[in-house]
Amino acid sequence: MAKKSKVAKNEQRKQLAARYAARREALKETIRTAASLEERMAAQSALAKLPRDSNRNRIVNRCALTGRPRGFLRRFGLSRIAFREKALSGEIAGVIKSSW
């Protein structure tokens, strides 16, 4: 089980990223298409002044059950350990243990 503070911090990052998404995208578009150097520099400095955690890249994929950041399976939203426990107990539809 991950620390509750880490899980809470990641949730805060998700909220910040959602709040600033439009503003970040507008500034990035300005940087890409700016005609003058001054305009581009102003947009870059405005982008740099936004909170770091408002960047989508800082959001960590975490297990929905345990909060574990490593071994995350995107398709199920679980870590490998939680996935195996759920799959073996038959709680995930369509997943069966393979044998050959």
Side-chain angles (χ1 to χ4, degrees):
M1 188 76 183
K3 291 169 65 173
K4 290 182 181 179
S5 61
K6 292 289 187 182
V7 174
K9 184 69 174 173
N10 200 46
E11 290 303 316
Q12 184 180 9
R13 285 185 184 129
K14 287 179 184 177
Q15 291 172 356
L16 265 176
R19 187 182 323 156
Y20 286 97
R23 195 176 312 175
R24 289 185 76 86
E25 192 55 41
L27 287 170
K28 284 183 160 191
E29 187 61 32
T30 303
I31 292 168
R32 276 189 290 257
T33 61
S36 67
L37 182 63
E38 292 81 21
E39 196 175 311
R40 180 177 292 141
M41 294 297 283
Q44 285 177 342
S45 66
L47 186 63
K49 288 179 183 175
L50 292 179
R52 275 189 175 180
D53 284 342
S54 67
N55 191 349
R56 287 183 323 174
N57 294 342
R58 292 180 64 95
I59 297 173
V60 177
N61 288 328
R62 289 187 173 268
C63 176
L65 295 178
T66 62
R68 188 176 204 275
R70 294 181 168 196
F72 180 79
L73 302 174
R74 284 185 186 192
R75 184 171 177 183
F76 302 99
L78 300 171
S79 68
R80 62 184 175 80
I81 299 165
F83 171 76
R84 182 173 177 163
E85 290 171 357
K86 294 282 186 187
L88 290 177
S89 64
E91 296 179 27
I92 301 177
V95 176
I96 55 171
K97 186 170 189 265
S98 150
S99 62
W100 61 92

